[in-house]
Amino acid sequence: MELTRRDLFKFGGVAAAGAATAGVLAGCSPSTASSSSDEAAATTGSWRDQPEMPTEFAETVDCDLVVVGAGNGGLVAATTAAQNGAKVVVLEKAGAIAMAREAIGALNSNLASDHKEDVPTLINHAATVNAGDINAPLYKTWAEKSGEMIEWMKETLEPKGMLFPFEWHAPDDPHAYYPAMCYNPCLDEYNPDGPNYGAYMHLEVMSDVFTNDLGGEIRFNTPA
Ligand SMILES: Cc1cc2nc3c(=O)[nH]c(=O)nc-3n(C[C@H](O)[C@H](O)[C@H](O)COP(=O)(O)OP(=O)(O)OC[C@H]3O[C@@H](n4cnc5c(N)ncnc54)[C@H](O)[C@@H]3O)c2cc1C
């Protein structure tokens, strides 16, 4: 319970290995029979199997865009589309929006204009310290687009009281996977020494903007 994000940075290699193992174990574990036939259908068979199409409809909803999952990706997509005039419905299988998490890595934004990273140098560094095992196109997309993303997020959430404090980590060890630059969105106030009780709030605030300001709809307990 007392593990902080910084601890995870410190033990990132261990945490990543643990996560990978957990994923493999979860993937290998036998699927358990469920009491509900719907749940059983969802947990058996291959993801390649085409699901049976429903034949009965309780309700028909007209919209321009359906977003699956009210998480970090889904809420950003839904809010952006709604800002551009689309009628958006988000289907969320859980009873609440996903966890926001804490730090958002973003490069070369005008929020911290004196911190600039050269993208090819950074990707080379990432490839070197990971023995070449990186998804370079994905990394490049993040490196090139994340600045624009954090500027959009600030513009969208700042009117609701969110702050976007910038953190710059540059340790002495040149072989560490730093330097890292990130934003830690907090509601109302930010204490660099912590704790920050208004942290982890950007998805809560974004869902407020999406539903209350932009007229979007999130349907909870609704798996797609
Ligand atoms: C403990 C922890 C700490 C982390 N800290 C950070 C951090 O500090 N900074 C950082 O950048 N990243 C962090 N991450 C990683 C980050 O949380 C994920 O990379 C990110 O949330 C992924 O976003 P996503 O939109 O793909 O998925 P999610 O945010 O998980 O959203 C997916 C959503 O889709 C819903 N869903 C799934 N299937 C269906 C379906 N069939 N129908 C309807 N809904 C569905 C899920 O219920 C969920 O709400 C952390 C992760 C963990 C576990």
Side-chain angles (χ1 to χ4, degrees), residues 5 8-9 67-75 91-94 96-105 184 200 203 219 222-224:
R5 182 178 54 81
L8 285 171
F9 273 162
V67 172
V68 178
N72 285 283
L75 279 178
L91 306 181
E92 171 51 58
K93 72 177 179 181
I97 60 171
M99 290 284 289
R101 314 306 177 198
E102 185 181 6
I104 302 178
N184 291 309
Y200 305 97
L203 288 193
R219 293 194 167 211
T222 309

Side-chain angles (χ1 to χ4, degrees), residues 75-187:
L75 279 178
V76 168
T79 304
T80 313
Q83 284 175 330
N84 283 282
K87 184 179 176 199
V88 186
V89 175
V90 178
L91 306 181
E92 171 51 58
K93 72 177 179 181
I97 60 171
M99 290 284 289
R101 314 306 177 198
E102 185 181 6
I104 302 178
L107 303 180
N108 300 337
S109 84
N110 63 18
L111 275 55
S113 48
D114 50 340
H115 285 276
K116 293 289 177 203
E117 284 288 343
D118 178 60
V119 170
T121 304
L122 192 69
I123 294 176
N124 280 341
H125 175 72
T128 304
V129 297
N130 289 286
D133 187 17
I134 65 164
N135 181 340
L138 183 64
Y139 207 112
K140 183 169 181 283
T141 301
W142 167 74
E144 291 179 347
K145 300 284 187 183
S146 54
E148 186 187 333
M149 180 278 302
I150 199 76
E151 289 164 15
W152 168 83
M153 197 178 280
K154 184 179 181 200
E155 202 175 293
T156 302
L157 304 184
E158 199 175 44
K160 298 281 183 181
M162 286 231 80
L163 307 172
F164 285 79
F166 178 70
E167 278 187 18
W168 166 254
H169 307 273
D172 299 333
D173 178 2
H175 300 296
Y177 69 96
Y178 296 107
M181 51 174 74
C182 65
Y183 298 81
N184 291 309
C186 284
L187 201 54

